[in-house]
Amino acid sequence: MPAKNYASTRYSELAEINEGNVKNLQVAFTFSTGVNKGQEAAPLVVGTTMYIVTPFPNIVYALDLSKPGAPMKWKYEPNPEPAAQGVACCDVVNRGAAFADGRLFFNTLDGHTIALDANSGQPIWNAHIGNINIGETITMAPLVVKGKVLVGNSGGEMGVRGWVKALDAGDGHVVWTAYNTGPDKDVLIGPDFKPHYDMDKGKDLGVTTWPPEAWKIGGGNMWGWISYDPDLNLIFHGTGNPGPWNPDLRPGDNKWTSGIFARDPDTGAAKWFYQWSPHDLHDYDGINEQVLLDLNWQGKPRKVLVRPERNGYLYLLDRTTGEVLSAKPYGPVNSSKGVDLKTGRLIENPDKLTGTGKVVRDICPTASGLKDWQPSAFSPKTGLLYIPHNNLCMDEEGVEVNYIAGTPYVGMNVRMIPGPGGNRGAFTAWDIAGEKPAWSLKENFPVWSGAVATAGDVVFYGTMEGWFKAVSAKTGELLWQFKTSSGIIGQPITYRGPDGHQYVAVLSGVGGWAGAIVSGDLDPRDATAALGFVNAMKDLKNATTAGGTLYVFRLP
Amino acid sequence: MKPAVAMLLLAGLALAACQREERDTRPQSALGSGEQPTPVTALEPGGQRPSPTDNKAASFEANAFHLSEGKRLFGWFNCSGCHANGGGGMGPALMDEKWIYGSSMESIHATIRDGRPNGMPSFRDKIPDDQIWELAAFVRSLSGNAPSSAAPSRNDDMMAHPSENRMPDAATLGKSP
């Protein structure tokens, strides 16, 4: 799975590459994906084979690592419907595949989940679960838990009602579907549902916290990460922003959007819920990764869930109950004034309330969040969480919007600008126990790549200019860097090759929401292009060009 | 001549100097009309043939009322959701000099009516034909292809870029060739 383990730590025990020798890293081999869109996927290594999934048209390649140059073992082309590109909000990305029991599972942009025989590349089943004509796409990497493939939909900018489905890994039939808006029976809220805070208690809140019928087109999609705790038998997944972005059209808390669910993986039944951003005002999707850790918190051993959230806070939740133990900003935040730990509620800043016909300036963080989907990594050796993130602010103006199925449902003019300091990105090591940053590195562009931490005390990440960097896990000191052919927004991994040596791999290829100006050839003269992101990325076209390439590094 | 008569004459002259923009006050409301075939390529074996033209193209393109209506509809039909205010997003930029499926009024009209295979939806039977022409005229104005006397001026909303009547021709960016 892309996150390395069910706890999503992205930490590798491999230590052959360390602080001392990482400067000697060199390219072992490269491979062109043949697709010029944003490469957000994590390569997956199982045994002697590496699997990669490209953005649309979602080609899967299997590379044989046991042979020199890693020749292609097979490739599989699902040929998704080209029209799907027209309903994918933020580039036509794919975040990777999952492996279980000899099978490879991945999603296509046009709403299919496909199981392949990992050895031969032959399709075993193909489940059509998303409908592009209502604006539904799938970009997330599935997670396989107890013989079920967990998949969620994208479309929070298209008025798509969010869901998570569990598909049987054997034949692809849908075992359960949990919606993230609507009546309790659709959300799979039953007698086992015990949220920690009063704001999440009540009957059919997924209906009553919306204007009539608005929940049917209210978003709350699940296009990010899922974690799993086998001891508690719970999966954890976030929910995306409510639709439309213009909050005047949806008075109420808009349950169960911009929050997190704990569910029973066997039945989908909800156990608890917590809402990061009730009645979200700024497109703060709640779908980031959840890192599951067991640690001592204020003298007591706790099972926690760590979440660097889009609204700018680093949350520590008790993952058995959903109680918030800590919520500290990990970068500049002015859209809210903190989190009330008694009620669990985000304290909104009244100066930054958005609405129709009102231009609100200098809201931090942006719609893309202090951190978006790009996953962080945790090293148990240092106790630090390595967070790749953004440093951007924005102006917003709510505008009227009509719902037309299969077209965008946003209702907000947005233009983004660099955040305080002028650096648009940062790579921050967060001291979880101390609730403060240990160190932070400034990057010119948003850090839209994932991170991986290793037992060699080296942390890897990429920049949108194309630098692939290795820094010291303890101090953040830059130890090595390599300029790849395009901006990096992928998820680096490290693995032990068939020869017993440690390798590091990453997909280079700019795109995604942040890089849409390049991958979609957008015009920087329009401040609102790509939902406002282009305004902050005007110079990216001068820094990099599109093109997907796999890079694999090793010591000489 | 008495001053009053002179004033009257002057007023008459001033009125006569106003040229009222002509427009159809009862626009075609039918859905899905305009079946004119429009080629999407300049490559025509056996020699290029004259492109079919639609007489609506010229009458809509230089008309201030239609252009401002097109701008309003561009938001109302969620065109702006994908193409932003011309810079693009989910869909391509419309204010640059690149035209994937042709830059003529007829081509843009056909693109909106029939859709295109890589994501442009078909609005056939959803938008009245005259309103599609209005949208096409506005789309051309985004790249400076409408007369500045007719193109829309300042927004009431957040300005994403200079107003359409001040946009330079994207192909030359205002420079003489």
Side-chain angles (χ1 to χ4, degrees):
Chain A
M1 63 196 83
K4 166 79 177 164
N5 46 38
Y6 280 134
S8 308
T9 58
R10 293 175 187 266
Y11 173 76
S12 167
E13 294 289 350
L14 299 179
E16 183 190 355
I17 298 170
N18 58 40
E19 285 178 289
N21 62 18
V22 67
K23 64 176 186 292
N24 301 323
L25 273 188
Q26 54 182 237
V27 174
F29 64 92
T30 64
F31 177 81
S32 168
T33 67
V35 180
N36 288 341
K37 295 292 186 177
Q39 318 276 328
E40 288 191 352
L44 209 60
V45 175
V46 182
T48 59
T49 310
M50 175 183 285
Y51 304 93
I52 50 183
V53 187
T54 73
F56 177 90
N58 303 130
I59 304 164
V60 184
Y61 297 103
L63 306 179
D64 187 347
L65 301 175
S66 65
K67 296 186 181 142
M72 198 192 301
K73 204 163 149 187
W74 52 258
K75 84 168 169 180
Y76 176 75
E77 293 178 279
N79 298 321
E81 174 57 60
Q85 295 172 92
V87 287
C89 90
C90 316
D91 201 4
V92 293
V93 297
N94 185 291
R95 302 193 179 84
F99 176 93
D101 302 325
R103 292 177 179 190
L104 195 72
F105 304 92
F106 73 105
N107 298 310
T108 64
L109 192 70
D110 63 342
H112 291 256
T113 301
I114 298 174
L116 302 178
D117 180 322
N119 199 37
S120 68
Q122 290 301 309
I124 297 169
W125 53 259
N126 180 327
H128 189 194
I129 52 177
N131 174 11
I132 60 167
N133 260 315
I134 60 165
E136 219 164 41
T137 52
I138 305 183
T139 57
M140 57 97 73
L143 184 75
V144 185
V145 170
K146 296 171 85 175
K148 294 182 186 64
V149 186
L150 303 171
V151 183
N153 63 355
S154 309
E157 282 58 56
M158 315 288 288
V160 174
R161 186 183 179 200
W163 48 249
V164 177
K165 288 180 194 288
L167 278 59
D168 184 276
D171 61 12
H173 79 269
V174 175
V175 180
W176 53 259
T177 300
Y179 286 95
N180 295 333
T181 68
D184 286 353
K185 67 172 173 39
D186 290 6
V187 186
L188 303 186
I189 286 176
D192 292 344
F193 184 60
K194 299 205 167 46
H196 187 79
Y197 297 103
D198 288 343
M199 64 175 180
D200 300 315
K201 292 174 185 165
K203 192 172 163 25
D204 290 331
L205 293 181
V207 173
T208 60
T209 59
W210 293 89
E213 311 285 298
W215 55 270
K216 291 180 179 169
I217 51 172
N221 303 86
M222 218 321 277
W223 53 273
W225 302 107
I226 307 173
S227 296
Y228 169 55
D229 182 334
D231 295 335
L232 297 173
N233 193 35
L234 287 178
I235 56 162
F236 305 93
H237 71 80
T239 60
N241 61 287
W245 288 16
N246 185 340
D248 286 356
L249 298 170
R250 46 176 174 80
D253 272 359
N254 311 132
K255 304 282 183 205
W256 307 89
T257 64
S258 292
I260 179 170
F261 272 111
R263 296 183 184 277
D264 180 330
D266 302 313
T267 62
K271 295 287 167 159
W272 56 258
F273 173 86
Y274 170 71
Q275 197 166 25
W276 318 109
S277 304
H279 185 60
D280 163 52
L281 301 170
H282 310 293
D283 181 39
Y284 293 156
D285 286 67
I287 55 71
N288 290 358
E289 73 283 6
Q290 31 275 316
V291 183
L292 310 183
L293 305 174
D294 293 346
L295 48 78
N296 275 309
W297 182 254
Q298 293 170 347
K300 284 184 198 156
R302 302 289 288 252
K303 287 176 181 293
V304 304
L305 178 157
V306 183
R307 163 66 84 93
E309 176 53 22
R310 195 134 141 181
N311 65 15
Y313 296 92
L314 193 123
Y315 288 86
L316 237 66
L317 265 56
D318 182 325
R319 69 175 182 270
T320 59
T321 63
E323 179 189 1
V324 179
L325 305 175
S326 163
K328 291 274 159 59
Y330 57 97
V333 175
N334 69 17
S335 60
S336 59
K337 296 181 166 176
V339 178
D340 183 336
L341 293 185
K342 283 215 171 56
T343 64
R345 208 171 168 92
L346 186 71
I347 306 161
E348 278 161 4
N349 179 351
D351 297 338
K352 303 294 179 189
L353 305 181
T354 54
T356 306
K358 189 170 77 166
V359 179
V360 183
R361 293 180 198 279
D362 214 21
I363 305 167
C364 321
T366 47
S368 49
L370 191 56
K371 185 177 96 57
D372 204 288
W373 71 279
Q374 60 271 45
S376 51
F378 174 79
S379 166
K381 279 184 79 181
T382 59
L384 302 177
L385 183 73
Y386 302 94
I387 312 170
H389 65 102
N390 315 321
N391 177 36
L392 299 166
C393 301
M394 64 177 168
D395 301 340
E396 281 191 306
E397 180 202 23
V399 290
E400 288 181 23
V401 61
N402 298 314
Y403 176 77
I404 305 170
T407 69
Y409 188 49
V410 173
M412 193 75 85
N413 275 329
V414 183
R415 61 178 170 219
M416 302 188 190
I417 49 174
N423 55 303
R424 288 164 280 187
F427 190 75
T428 299
W430 184 266
D431 175 358
I432 292 177
E435 300 178 88
K436 62 178 193 308
W439 47 262
S440 184
L441 309 174
K442 291 180 177 177
E443 288 290 352
N444 183 22
F445 290 112
V447 186
W448 208 257
S449 86
V452 64
T454 68
D457 281 332
V458 181
V459 181
F460 295 92
Y461 71 99
T463 74
M464 291 186 73
E465 292 100 327
W467 288 107
F468 187 50
K469 296 189 174 183
V471 299
S472 159
K474 296 167 201 150
T475 64
E477 185 197 345
L478 181 64
L479 303 172
W480 169 85
Q481 61 179 347
F482 180 88
K483 184 77 182 280
T484 64
S485 52
S486 175
I488 297 176
I489 60 161
Q491 305 163 49
I493 63 156
T494 183
Y495 65 93
R496 191 194 303 275
D499 60 359
H501 290 290
Q502 184 181 356
Y503 290 77
V504 183
V506 70
L507 282 167
S508 162
V510 82
W513 188 7
I517 180 171
V518 172
S519 63
D521 191 17
L522 308 184
D523 197 314
R525 291 175 296 159
D526 177 1
T528 59
L531 298 163
F533 219 136
V534 161
N535 198 51
M537 307 296 288
K538 284 179 175 169
D539 51 343
L540 189 64
K541 277 186 175 179
N542 303 331
T544 187
T545 54
T549 309
L550 168 77
Y551 284 82
V552 179
F553 302 92
R554 58 162 290 169
L555 292 171
Chain B
M1 206 181 328
K2 285 183 180 165
V5 178
M7 288 290 277
L8 215 66
L9 270 172
L10 275 173
L13 270 172
L15 276 173
C18 289
Q19 190 213 347
R20 192 169 185 282
E21 185 176 80
E22 283 180 29
R23 67 179 162 96
D24 193 351
T25 50
R26 285 174 183 266
Q28 173 77 253
S29 61
L31 289 170
S33 60
E35 296 296 331
Q36 184 92 268
T38 309
V40 292
T41 172
L43 197 58
E44 297 178 356
Q48 226 176 332
R49 296 173 284 281
S51 291
T53 54
D54 193 302
N55 56 14
K56 280 196 176 167
S59 69
F60 276 70
E61 188 170 15
N63 183 294
F65 173 77
H66 289 317
L67 280 162
S68 74
E69 283 293 282
K71 179 165 182 161
R72 181 176 65 82
L73 297 170
F74 191 79
W76 281 28
F77 283 113
N78 294 347
C79 311
S80 55
C82 290
H83 300 285
N85 288 290
M90 300 168 62
L94 303 176
M95 65 200 290
D96 61 14
E97 76 283 20
K98 297 164 194 162
W99 295 94
I100 305 170
Y101 303 112
S103 65
S104 69
M105 280 286 283
E106 288 85 354
S107 298
I108 301 168
H109 174 272
T111 296
I112 299 170
R113 184 190 63 199
D114 299 333
R116 298 294 183 192
N118 286 311
M120 176 69 197
S122 164
F123 286 89
R124 175 185 288 273
D125 299 341
K126 292 288 175 202
I127 306 182
D129 195 55
D130 274 14
Q131 297 193 339
I132 297 181
W133 284 111
E134 287 174 334
L135 283 164
F138 174 67
V139 167
R140 274 179 63 78
S141 79
L142 284 167
S143 51
N145 280 300
S148 60
S149 57
S153 57
R154 280 193 68 87
N155 292 351
D156 292 335
D157 294 314
M158 184 195 273
M159 290 294 284
H161 54 67
S163 57
E164 287 78 14
N165 65 355
R166 297 179 59 216
M167 288 304 282
D169 183 332
T172 61
L173 282 177
K175 291 186 217 74
S176 309

